[in-house]
Amino acid sequence: MPTIRCACVVLFLLLLLSPTLVWAQTAELDKQSGPAPEQQAQQSGSTVDLTTQPDAASEPKPLMDTPTPAADRTPVNPKTNSSEGQQTKRMFWIIPNFAAVSADAETQPLTTKEKYTLAMQDSVDYSSFVWAGMLAGQSMALRSYPELRNGVAGYSRYYWRAFVDQASGSFFTEAFVPALSHEDPRYFTRGHGGFFHRVGYAVSRVVVTKMDSGGTGFNYSEIVGNGLEAGLSNLYYPPQERSLHNTAINWVAQLEAASLNNVIREFWPDIRHKLLRQK
Protein backbone atom coordinates (compact mmCIF):
# COMPACT_ATOMS: atom_id res chain seq x y z
CA MET A 1 0.00 0.00 0.00
CA PRO A 2 1.56 3.35 -1.01
CA THR A 3 0.58 5.07 2.21
CA ILE A 4 2.95 2.94 4.33
CA ARG A 5 6.03 2.80 2.12
CA CYS A 6 7.72 5.84 3.63
CA ALA A 7 6.97 5.20 7.31
CA CYS A 8 10.24 3.35 7.89
CA VAL A 9 12.46 6.23 6.71
CA VAL A 10 10.52 9.41 7.36
CA LEU A 11 11.68 9.97 10.98
CA PHE A 12 15.34 9.78 10.01
CA LEU A 13 14.79 12.10 7.04
CA LEU A 14 12.92 14.66 9.14
CA LEU A 15 15.69 14.74 11.74
CA LEU A 16 18.23 15.13 8.98
CA LEU A 17 16.25 17.69 7.04
CA SER A 18 14.92 20.03 9.73
CA PRO A 19 18.27 21.79 10.51
CA THR A 20 18.85 22.27 6.78
CA LEU A 21 15.43 23.81 6.24
CA VAL A 22 15.71 26.13 9.23
CA TRP A 23 19.17 27.29 8.12
CA ALA A 24 17.96 27.85 4.58
CA GLN A 25 15.00 29.92 5.72
CA THR A 26 17.21 32.07 7.98
CA ALA A 27 19.66 32.68 5.16
CA GLU A 28 16.81 33.63 2.85
CA LEU A 29 15.45 36.15 5.37
CA ASP A 30 18.91 37.69 5.79
CA LYS A 31 19.26 37.92 2.04
CA GLN A 32 15.92 39.66 1.61
CA SER A 33 16.43 42.09 4.52
CA GLY A 34 18.61 44.35 2.36
CA PRO A 35 21.51 46.55 3.56
CA ALA A 36 22.12 47.23 7.22
CA PRO A 37 20.38 50.21 8.85
CA GLU A 38 23.70 52.08 9.10
CA GLN A 39 24.23 51.76 5.35
CA GLN A 40 20.67 52.90 4.64
CA ALA A 41 21.17 55.90 6.92
CA GLN A 42 24.37 56.82 5.11
CA GLN A 43 22.67 56.53 1.74
CA SER A 44 19.59 58.51 2.73
CA GLY A 45 21.56 61.10 4.66
CA SER A 46 24.17 61.82 2.01
CA THR A 47 23.94 65.27 0.44
CA VAL A 48 25.36 66.68 -2.73
CA ASP A 49 27.85 69.48 -2.39
CA LEU A 50 26.78 71.93 -5.07
CA THR A 51 29.98 73.89 -4.76
CA THR A 52 32.09 70.96 -5.89
CA GLN A 53 29.88 69.97 -8.82
CA PRO A 54 31.17 71.06 -12.22
CA ASP A 55 29.12 73.41 -14.33
CA ALA A 56 26.72 71.43 -16.50
CA ALA A 57 27.37 73.77 -19.41
CA SER A 58 31.13 73.12 -19.26
CA GLU A 59 30.80 69.34 -19.35
CA PRO A 60 31.28 67.70 -22.73
CA LYS A 61 28.05 66.24 -24.04
CA PRO A 62 28.02 62.77 -25.58
CA LEU A 63 27.47 62.53 -29.29
CA MET A 64 24.39 60.33 -28.78
CA ASP A 65 22.34 59.01 -25.92
CA THR A 66 23.46 55.68 -24.54
CA PRO A 67 20.51 53.25 -24.52
CA THR A 68 19.61 51.62 -21.26
CA PRO A 69 20.56 47.94 -21.24
CA ALA A 70 17.59 45.61 -21.60
CA ALA A 71 18.59 43.75 -18.47
CA ASP A 72 18.09 46.92 -16.41
CA ARG A 73 14.52 47.28 -17.69
CA THR A 74 13.53 43.68 -16.95
CA PRO A 75 11.50 43.28 -13.74
CA VAL A 76 13.05 41.08 -11.12
CA ASN A 77 11.40 37.70 -10.65
CA PRO A 78 11.06 37.12 -6.89
CA LYS A 79 11.04 33.32 -7.34
CA THR A 80 14.66 32.53 -8.12
CA ASN A 81 14.49 28.79 -7.48
CA SER A 82 12.36 27.20 -10.22
CA SER A 83 12.74 23.74 -8.66
CA GLU A 84 11.00 24.71 -5.41
CA GLY A 85 8.18 22.32 -4.63
CA GLN A 86 8.67 20.26 -7.80
CA GLN A 87 7.65 16.64 -7.37
CA THR A 88 8.95 13.62 -9.28
CA LYS A 89 7.23 10.38 -10.24
CA ARG A 90 9.37 8.43 -7.79
CA MET A 91 11.10 9.16 -4.51
CA PHE A 92 14.61 7.79 -4.04
CA TRP A 93 14.32 6.33 -7.57
CA ILE A 94 12.10 3.47 -6.31
CA ILE A 95 9.12 4.57 -4.20
CA PRO A 96 6.11 5.54 -6.38
CA ASN A 97 5.03 9.16 -6.10
CA PHE A 98 2.39 9.23 -8.81
CA ALA A 99 -0.25 10.94 -6.65
CA ALA A 100 1.86 13.98 -5.66
CA VAL A 101 1.24 17.36 -7.32
CA SER A 102 3.95 20.03 -7.44
CA ALA A 103 3.49 23.25 -5.48
CA ASP A 104 1.40 25.96 -7.15
CA ALA A 105 0.71 23.71 -10.14
CA GLU A 106 -2.45 24.36 -12.15
CA THR A 107 -4.35 21.08 -12.45
CA GLN A 108 -7.67 19.79 -13.64
CA PRO A 109 -9.78 17.43 -11.50
CA LEU A 110 -9.29 13.74 -12.18
CA THR A 111 -11.97 11.82 -13.98
CA THR A 112 -13.29 8.58 -12.51
CA LYS A 113 -11.23 6.64 -15.03
CA GLU A 114 -8.08 8.53 -14.05
CA LYS A 115 -8.68 7.78 -10.36
CA TYR A 116 -8.90 4.05 -11.12
CA THR A 117 -5.79 4.31 -13.30
CA LEU A 118 -3.90 5.96 -10.44
CA ALA A 119 -4.94 3.18 -8.06
CA MET A 120 -3.88 0.55 -10.57
CA GLN A 121 -0.46 2.19 -11.02
CA ASP A 122 0.19 2.14 -7.29
CA SER A 123 -1.09 -1.44 -6.93
CA VAL A 124 0.88 -3.21 -9.67
CA ASP A 125 4.04 -1.12 -9.72
CA TYR A 126 7.15 -3.28 -9.46
CA SER A 127 7.96 -1.74 -6.09
CA SER A 128 4.63 -3.06 -4.75
CA PHE A 129 5.83 -6.64 -5.18
CA VAL A 130 9.15 -5.84 -3.51
CA TRP A 131 7.49 -4.04 -0.62
CA ALA A 132 5.02 -6.86 -0.08
CA GLY A 133 7.95 -9.28 0.12
CA MET A 134 9.69 -7.13 2.73
CA LEU A 135 6.54 -6.84 4.84
CA ALA A 136 5.92 -10.57 4.57
CA GLY A 137 9.45 -11.38 5.71
CA GLN A 138 9.20 -8.97 8.63
CA SER A 139 5.83 -10.32 9.74
CA MET A 140 7.01 -13.92 9.55
CA ALA A 141 10.19 -13.12 11.50
CA LEU A 142 8.13 -11.44 14.22
CA ARG A 143 5.52 -14.22 14.10
CA SER A 144 2.79 -11.62 13.75
CA TYR A 145 0.32 -14.33 12.77
CA PRO A 146 1.50 -17.67 14.18
CA GLU A 147 -1.40 -19.43 12.48
CA LEU A 148 0.29 -18.86 9.10
CA ARG A 149 3.34 -20.86 10.25
CA ASN A 150 6.90 -20.64 8.88
CA GLY A 151 8.87 -21.95 5.91
CA VAL A 152 8.23 -21.37 2.23
CA ALA A 153 4.53 -22.15 2.57
CA GLY A 154 4.22 -19.80 5.53
CA TYR A 155 6.05 -17.02 3.69
CA SER A 156 3.72 -17.36 0.70
CA ARG A 157 0.75 -16.97 3.03
CA TYR A 158 2.22 -13.81 4.50
CA TYR A 159 3.16 -12.52 1.07
CA TRP A 160 -0.19 -12.64 -0.73
CA ARG A 161 -1.96 -11.14 2.27
CA ALA A 162 0.52 -8.25 2.40
CA PHE A 163 0.06 -7.66 -1.32
CA VAL A 164 -3.75 -7.69 -1.05
CA ASP A 165 -3.53 -5.27 1.88
CA GLN A 166 -1.71 -2.60 -0.12
CA ALA A 167 -3.66 -3.18 -3.34
CA SER A 168 -7.05 -2.92 -1.62
CA GLY A 169 -5.84 0.13 0.29
CA SER A 170 -4.88 1.83 -2.97
CA PHE A 171 -8.25 1.20 -4.59
CA PHE A 172 -10.26 2.20 -1.53
CA THR A 173 -8.37 5.49 -0.96
CA GLU A 174 -7.65 6.47 -4.58
CA ALA A 175 -10.56 5.07 -6.61
CA PHE A 176 -13.66 3.62 -4.89
CA VAL A 177 -14.30 6.27 -2.24
CA PRO A 178 -12.98 9.32 -4.19
CA ALA A 179 -15.20 8.43 -7.15
CA LEU A 180 -18.28 8.40 -4.90
CA SER A 181 -17.39 11.44 -2.77
CA HIS A 182 -15.98 13.50 -5.69
CA GLU A 183 -12.64 14.02 -3.97
CA ASP A 184 -9.21 14.42 -5.50
CA PRO A 185 -7.02 11.64 -4.02
CA ARG A 186 -3.76 13.37 -4.92
CA TYR A 187 -1.45 15.18 -2.49
CA PHE A 188 -1.06 18.88 -3.34
CA THR A 189 2.35 20.08 -2.16
CA ARG A 190 2.53 23.34 -0.24
CA GLY A 191 6.25 23.83 -0.91
CA HIS A 192 6.76 27.05 1.10
CA GLY A 193 6.49 28.35 4.64
CA GLY A 194 8.10 27.30 7.89
CA PHE A 195 9.08 23.73 8.68
CA PHE A 196 6.45 23.08 11.35
CA HIS A 197 3.81 24.90 9.35
CA ARG A 198 4.40 22.56 6.43
CA VAL A 199 4.39 19.52 8.71
CA GLY A 200 1.03 20.60 10.09
CA TYR A 201 -0.31 21.10 6.59
CA ALA A 202 0.86 17.64 5.48
CA VAL A 203 -0.68 15.89 8.48
CA SER A 204 -3.96 17.80 8.10
CA ARG A 205 -4.38 16.48 4.54
CA VAL A 206 -5.41 13.16 6.07
CA VAL A 207 -8.56 14.89 7.34
CA VAL A 208 -8.96 17.69 4.78
CA THR A 209 -8.63 17.19 1.04
CA LYS A 210 -9.29 18.94 -2.25
CA MET A 211 -12.62 18.31 -3.93
CA ASP A 212 -13.25 17.88 -7.65
CA SER A 213 -15.10 21.19 -7.55
CA GLY A 214 -11.90 22.99 -6.50
CA GLY A 215 -12.78 23.59 -2.86
CA THR A 216 -11.81 21.61 0.21
CA GLY A 217 -13.78 19.13 2.28
CA PHE A 218 -13.61 16.21 4.67
CA ASN A 219 -11.24 13.47 3.49
CA TYR A 220 -13.55 10.48 3.27
CA SER A 221 -10.99 8.80 1.03
CA GLU A 222 -8.48 8.37 3.84
CA ILE A 223 -10.77 8.11 6.85
CA VAL A 224 -13.44 5.84 5.37
CA GLY A 225 -11.23 4.18 2.75
CA ASN A 226 -8.66 2.94 5.26
CA GLY A 227 -11.47 1.78 7.53
CA LEU A 228 -12.92 -0.30 4.69
CA GLU A 229 -9.50 -1.79 3.98
CA ALA A 230 -9.09 -2.72 7.64
CA GLY A 231 -12.51 -4.35 7.65
CA LEU A 232 -11.86 -6.24 4.43
CA SER A 233 -8.71 -7.79 5.85
CA ASN A 234 -10.87 -9.74 8.30
CA LEU A 235 -12.00 -11.90 5.39
CA TYR A 236 -8.58 -13.40 4.67
CA TYR A 237 -6.64 -13.25 7.95
CA PRO A 238 -6.91 -16.06 10.53
CA PRO A 239 -10.12 -16.13 12.59
CA GLN A 240 -8.10 -15.46 15.75
CA GLU A 241 -7.21 -12.02 14.36
CA ARG A 242 -10.77 -11.03 13.45
CA SER A 243 -11.90 -8.71 16.20
CA LEU A 244 -13.12 -5.15 16.49
CA HIS A 245 -10.04 -4.27 18.53
CA ASN A 246 -7.59 -5.57 15.91
CA THR A 247 -9.56 -3.90 13.12
CA ALA A 248 -9.40 -0.54 14.95
CA ILE A 249 -5.66 -0.92 15.51
CA ASN A 250 -5.16 -1.67 11.81
CA TRP A 251 -7.25 1.38 10.85
CA VAL A 252 -5.31 3.75 13.13
CA ALA A 253 -2.01 2.35 11.85
CA GLN A 254 -3.07 3.09 8.27
CA LEU A 255 -3.94 6.69 9.16
CA GLU A 256 -0.61 7.17 10.92
CA ALA A 257 1.22 5.78 7.89
CA ALA A 258 -0.77 8.09 5.61
CA SER A 259 0.28 11.09 7.73
CA LEU A 260 3.95 10.12 7.59
CA ASN A 261 3.70 9.53 3.87
CA ASN A 262 2.27 13.04 3.37
CA VAL A 263 5.12 14.56 5.37
CA ILE A 264 7.78 12.83 3.31
CA ARG A 265 5.98 13.86 0.11
CA GLU A 266 5.86 17.47 1.27
CA PHE A 267 9.61 17.64 1.88
CA TRP A 268 10.73 15.37 -0.94
CA PRO A 269 11.50 18.35 -3.27
CA ASP A 270 13.70 19.86 -0.52
CA ILE A 271 15.42 16.53 0.13
CA ARG A 272 16.07 16.04 -3.55
CA HIS A 273 17.35 19.59 -4.11
CA LYS A 274 19.31 20.28 -0.93
CA LEU A 275 20.55 16.86 0.20
CA LEU A 276 20.73 14.86 -3.02
CA ARG A 277 21.85 17.90 -5.06
CA GLN A 278 19.41 17.21 -7.87
CA LYS A 279 17.94 20.03 -9.94
Side-chain angles (χ1 to χ4, degrees):
M1 178 178 179
T3 57
I4 65 174
R5 294 173 183 170
C6 299
C8 57
V9 296
V10 64
L11 295 178
F12 170 76
L13 291 174
L14 287 178
L15 292 175
L16 180 64
L17 179 61
S18 55
T20 306
L21 293 177
V22 173
W23 178 86
Q25 294 167 4
T26 304
E28 184 67 19
L29 291 174
D30 294 340
K31 182 178 179 181
Q32 295 178 357
S33 60
E38 293 79 2
Q39 296 178 355
Q40 294 179 356
Q42 293 177 2
Q43 293 177 359
S44 60
S46 60
T47 56
V48 179
D49 189 358
L50 298 178
T51 59
T52 60
Q53 296 296 325
D55 188 2
S58 63
E59 290 184 351
K61 296 183 178 181
L63 297 178
M64 59 183 299
D65 294 336
T66 303
T68 303
D72 295 340
R73 300 193 301 267
T74 304
V76 178
N77 185 3
K79 188 175 182 180
T80 58
N81 185 10
S82 60
S83 64
E84 180 180 358
Q86 296 298 310
Q87 294 284 357
T88 56
K89 293 298 182 182
R90 295 185 183 275
M91 295 184 291
F92 303 102
W93 307 280
I94 298 176
I95 303 173
N97 195 31
F98 307 129
V101 179
S102 300
D104 303 323
E106 297 181 0
T107 60
Q108 295 295 328
L110 296 178
T111 64
T112 300
K113 180 180 179 181
E114 289 173 335
K115 293 175 183 178
Y116 277 87
T117 301
L118 177 62
M120 180 63 70
Q121 285 180 325
D122 282 330
S123 299
V124 301
D125 185 76
Y126 71 88
S127 63
S128 300
F129 298 93
V130 177
W131 187 252
M134 295 172 61
L135 292 178
Q138 181 187 33
S139 297
M140 189 174 70
L142 297 175
R143 296 182 60 83
S144 301
Y145 307 102
E147 301 82 5
L148 301 181
R149 302 183 183 278
N150 296 321
V152 176
Y155 179 79
S156 64
R157 298 185 189 103
Y158 277 103
Y159 182 88
W160 75 260
R161 286 172 172 81
F163 185 84
V164 172
D165 281 346
Q166 63 181 5
S168 62
S170 296
F171 274 94
F172 276 124
T173 59
E174 296 177 347
F176 296 151
V177 177
L180 295 175
S181 58
H182 303 288
E183 298 171 23
D184 197 321
R186 295 173 293 182
Y187 177 78
F188 292 84
T189 309
R190 185 174 185 86
H192 53 80
F195 175 78
F196 293 103
H197 186 72
R198 292 172 66 184
V199 170
Y201 166 83
V203 174
S204 69
R205 295 307 95 182
V206 176
V207 182
V208 181
T209 188
K210 186 175 181 180
M211 309 298 291
D212 291 341
S213 60
T216 57
F218 183 75
N219 195 342
Y220 291 97
S221 301
E222 289 289 353
I223 303 300
V224 178
N226 283 308
L228 293 174
E229 187 276 330
L232 179 65
S233 64
N234 289 326
L235 298 179
Y236 51 84
Y237 274 94
Q240 296 83 347
E241 306 297 334
R242 301 173 189 175
S243 66
L244 182 61
H245 178 263
N246 290 340
T247 302
I249 291 178
N250 188 10
W251 176 61
V252 172
Q254 297 298 335
L255 294 179
E256 290 177 350
S259 301
L260 294 176
N261 192 43
N262 285 347
V263 172
I264 196 65
R265 280 176 172 175
E266 173 66 30
F267 291 103
W268 166 240
D270 303 88
I271 297 171
R272 183 172 58 90
H273 178 67
K274 296 179 181 179
L275 298 185
L276 302 182
R277 303 300 182 183
Q278 295 182 0
K279 296 183 179 180

